[in-house]
Amino acid sequence: MLCQKCHKRIANVHFTRVVNNQKVEMFLCEQCANEEGQMGFEAPLSVSEFLSGIMNFGNSAPYVNLASSDIVCEKCGMSFQEFQKIGKLGCSQCYRTFGERLKSILKRLHGSAQHNGRMPKKVSESIKISREIERLKELLNEAIKNEEYEKAAELRDRIRNLEVK
Amino acid sequence: MPGWYVEDGPESDVVVSSRVRFARNFEEYPFPSKMTREQGQSVLNAVRDAVLNNSSAAKNFVFIDIQQMSPIDRQALVEMHLISPDLAESQKQSGVLISKDEKISIMINEEDHLRIQCIYPGMQLDQALDLCIKVDGLLEENIRYAFDDKYGYLTCCPTNIGTGMRASVMLHLPALTMTGYIRNILDACSKIGIAVRGLYGENSEASGNMFQISNQVTLGQSEEEIASNIKNITSQIIEHERSLRDQLYKQNPYRLEDKVLRSFGLFTNARILSSEESLKLLSDVRLGVNMGIIKGISTEKLNEIMLLIQPGYLQKITGKPLSPEERDIKRAEIVRNKLGCSI
Ligand SMILES: [Zn+2]
Ligand SMILES: [Zn+2]
């Protein structure tokens, strides 16, 4: 998220101050944090606080509205409101349950919502197979269009073999 | 002591250690915060068996049940960076598998079901990443991970999703801190989404001028990209730190030598050493050793001392709980022994 003071740099200092007996939380960039008179960051940034900060400050209005029609994860019982409070999910199913709301949070956190790294071997094999099937299907359509029926039959067999896997 | 800290690593004049950790979860169980006791036990058993039933891995790993450990032993493991403070305080069915060389630790039922962590001395982020990938591959043979095509490895906290990877380096930056240039570094890091932990300003000396640099973004970049980002920023910081050390020395050799050697004198002769004072003195001594002002002491020895003088480890090697005063006396004794002082 962006610094709450300058709205330009990424905030990576979180601090709490007591104003009129009220705890006030701020998310600032280092530069603004220094200007605020805070010499350093004390406790390492607590991720759940950081997250609840992301969701409660700034563009939080849509979440507040959505929260009135709260969703609950069937597998673990976590509600979206609870998630907003603690910043943590209850199970892998939660990611599907909270769908688009979560996706926009992920985008704000990471600047992306598409994984680009390693994957489990079993998954990478099945992804390879489904990509190969896609490719063969295109060839098949091409073959049918060109009335190459022998070739089409052969492609159809190969697709069937892959689909069994 | 067999751990990583007794080995010499590249760039060890600035980089103390390199660490990579992967967060992983089982597909079939809720995350640890939502697990039943039985589910927690199943996860613990499954991970333990995945490692200990593998003939080559079994020889190399020790399984520790956190619930069975004394608070002092838990604290010592935290100080050795083998488990996290959260795992040490866990009330759940939690455990850790530690490799004999202490480079690998697999935490079970921390915030996520699995936290695979590899740590190396000096600047060896690639080695730490390679080892993490190997351990991950071994576990994957027996465990079905929670994985999504779009979001990657699913984690309890959305800040870890995707690669589930945190790459970090621990840096000793006395010259940058002394001169105040550390601010510029921290500012630059914050602009590119790199987190810096440690104290600067008033308290940096008390924490031994140590800073930890790590990635914040885990989704959208590959593991190699994440590691190379951290490597790039680290090598720039190393250059700045080294050139400042040289400049400080050239500006006034006596002043720097005096500072370092005074601290060395105190460190090796004191009879009572608080944790805070020793970290400050250790930082000066480390600087002196790295700059050749103090000869005959290795960086590895200083790493070992850094570990030994922490409260948990101190009590662990003494074999009994110590009051803060007793600890300060014991700490001074250890330092004198380790640095071989005759007085
Ligand atoms: Zn700012
Ligand atoms: Zn759930």
Side-chain angles (χ1 to χ4, degrees):
Chain A
M1 81 180 292
L2 291 178
C3 170
Q4 291 182 298
K5 205 177 157 207
C6 66
H7 303 286
K8 280 182 201 138
R9 291 173 285 265
I10 294 171
N12 62 352
V13 178
H14 162 245
F15 66 80
T16 22
R17 271 194 304 197
V18 179
V19 180
N20 300 331
N21 290 328
Q22 288 273 315
K23 234 171 84 174
V24 180
E25 290 184 305
M26 300 268 310
F27 295 86
L28 301 176
C29 67
E30 254 102 15
Q31 199 164 321
C32 294
N34 285 333
E35 284 164 14
E36 285 286 309
Q38 173 90 359
M39 283 306 285
F41 21 92
E42 281 146 11
L45 176 66
S46 141
V47 188
S48 64
E49 285 171 315
F50 185 80
L51 253 183
S52 59
I54 281 189
M55 290 174 294
N56 295 330
F57 291 110
N59 317 336
S60 63
Y63 303 120
V64 176
N65 289 337
L66 282 169
S68 57
S69 60
D70 205 12
I71 315 175
V72 176
C73 173
E74 275 178 18
K75 186 172 171 188
C76 71
M78 172 77 78
S79 71
F80 193 71
Q81 274 185 340
E82 189 186 353
F83 163 65
Q84 281 184 301
K85 220 176 284 160
I86 61 175
K88 286 174 189 175
L89 296 154
C91 75
S92 50
Q93 183 77 45
C94 289
Y95 281 96
R96 262 152 268 158
T97 311
F98 302 145
E100 285 300 311
R101 304 182 187 189
L102 199 52
K103 190 175 174 183
S104 62
I105 292 170
L106 291 175
K107 272 208 172 131
R108 291 171 72 185
L109 275 172
H110 298 283
S112 161
Q114 179 59 53
H115 178 54
N116 215 353
R118 297 172 52 77
M119 43 182 99
K121 229 180 256 151
K122 289 159 203 157
V123 176
S124 66
E125 270 156 24
S126 78
I127 286 178
K128 249 186 244 156
I129 290 171
S130 62
R131 285 197 187 134
E132 179 66 4
I133 291 175
E134 286 300 304
R135 195 182 68 89
L136 291 176
K137 277 184 179 162
E138 273 170 33
L139 289 176
L140 176 65
N141 286 338
E142 193 102 327
I144 292 171
K145 223 167 58 189
N146 299 337
E147 302 185 356
E148 299 168 301
Y149 295 115
E150 211 168 302
K151 194 176 170 193
E154 186 212 330
L155 285 167
R156 203 170 288 133
D157 285 346
R158 279 170 67 188
I159 291 169
R160 248 176 235 149
N161 279 338
L162 284 173
E163 277 171 342
V164 175
K165 286 190 185 175
Chain B
M1 292 203 303
W4 58 266
Y5 32 80
V6 296
E7 270 176 43
D8 189 23
E11 328 283 3
S12 62
D13 59 326
V14 181
V15 187
V16 178
S17 62
S18 305
R19 219 180 336 168
V20 171
R21 76 109 167 97
F22 286 171
R24 297 285 187 262
N25 285 288
F26 283 58
E27 172 67 45
E28 67 250 58
Y29 302 116
F31 299 145
S33 58
K34 292 275 184 189
M35 281 188 312
T36 63
R37 275 191 82 80
E38 290 69 36
Q39 288 171 327
Q41 196 59 49
S42 305
V43 169
L44 194 68
N45 295 347
V47 179
R48 190 191 55 205
D49 294 349
V51 174
L52 297 186
N53 291 345
N54 177 300
S55 54
S56 58
K59 278 175 274 172
N60 192 28
F61 280 92
V62 180
F63 173 79
I64 299 169
D65 187 333
I66 299 292
Q67 252 55 58
Q68 308 285 322
M69 289 188 100
S70 72
I72 286 177
D73 285 346
R74 292 184 192 198
Q75 197 186 344
L77 285 181
V78 173
E79 290 166 359
M80 294 161 86
H81 298 294
L82 290 172
I83 65 173
S84 63
D86 280 351
L87 194 75
E89 283 162 23
S90 167
Q91 301 297 317
K92 293 214 161 62
Q93 291 65 41
S94 54
V96 61
L97 286 146
I98 299 174
S99 70
K100 297 243 158 85
D101 61 7
E102 293 176 359
K103 285 195 177 109
I104 310 170
S105 74
I106 306 169
M107 285 175 255
I108 310 165
N109 291 338
E110 210 244 22
E111 181 181 292
D112 295 298
H113 293 139
L114 279 164
R115 288 281 174 96
I116 305 164
Q117 180 200 269
C118 297
I119 184 164
Y120 274 77
M123 190 64 218
Q124 301 194 72
L125 217 42
D126 290 333
Q127 286 80 351
L129 176 57
D130 284 348
L131 193 57
C132 254
I133 290 173
K134 251 184 228 153
V135 178
D136 191 35
L138 169 81
L139 292 168
E140 189 194 289
E141 285 171 23
N142 294 290
I143 298 165
R144 214 186 139 79
Y145 285 147
F147 182 86
D148 180 271
D149 289 356
K150 252 181 27 223
Y151 294 158
Y153 293 95
L154 301 177
T155 53
C156 174
C157 185
T159 53
N160 292 319
I161 199 176
T163 54
M165 170 170 161
R166 192 79 59 213
S168 63
V169 287
M170 174 89 83
L171 306 178
H172 181 231
L173 305 174
L176 279 164
T177 312
M178 251 185 261
T179 54
Y181 282 114
I182 191 77
R183 293 274 167 78
N184 306 23
I185 302 279
L186 298 174
D187 200 41
C189 285
S190 74
K191 278 182 194 144
I192 52 172
I194 294 210
V196 186
R197 276 176 193 177
L199 291 157
Y200 67 103
E202 306 284 313
N203 278 319
S204 56
E205 283 204 316
S207 61
N209 297 319
M210 292 288 178
F211 295 83
Q212 195 193 35
I213 300 222
S214 63
N215 62 302
Q216 276 178 320
V217 168
T218 55
L219 180 63
Q221 295 178 334
S222 72
E223 288 78 2
E224 287 73 20
E225 283 170 325
I226 292 172
S228 87
N229 273 344
I230 298 291
K231 276 188 334 200
N232 286 343
I233 186 113
T234 304
S235 64
Q236 290 175 47
I237 296 175
I238 294 173
E239 287 317 306
H240 286 299
E241 171 67 22
R242 282 183 187 151
S243 97
L244 275 175
R245 287 180 189 181
D246 285 348
Q247 283 176 45
L248 279 173
Y249 189 79
K250 278 187 196 129
Q251 226 172 65
N252 195 338
Y254 289 106
R255 193 147 161 203
L256 192 66
E257 283 184 4
D258 183 68
K259 177 179 165 70
V260 161
L261 290 170
R262 269 172 196 273
S263 293
F264 184 69
L266 264 177
F267 200 44
T268 50
N269 286 286
R271 290 301 191 264
I272 300 172
L273 274 175
S274 71
S275 172
E276 205 179 301
E277 187 183 11
S278 7
L279 287 175
K280 175 183 173 300
L281 296 174
L282 186 59
S283 172
D284 289 345
V285 172
R286 191 185 282 271
L287 181 65
V289 166
N290 293 153
M291 296 189 69
I293 298 169
I294 299 169
K295 295 189 172 65
I297 297 175
S298 65
T299 316
E300 303 91 88
K301 175 148 262 170
L302 298 178
N303 288 343
E304 191 188 345
I305 292 174
M306 185 169 65
L307 174 65
L308 286 170
I309 61 176
Q310 296 182 90
Y313 211 89
L314 202 66
Q315 297 180 76
K316 184 182 155 73
I317 52 175
T318 314
K320 60 170 188 197
L322 300 172
S323 70
E325 291 78 18
E326 289 172 321
R327 267 181 255 162
D328 291 352
I329 293 168
K330 183 76 191 167
R331 185 175 290 119
E333 195 183 304
I334 290 173
V335 172
R336 284 205 310 281
N337 285 338
K338 281 288 161 191
L339 293 179
C341 247
S342 47
I343 310 163

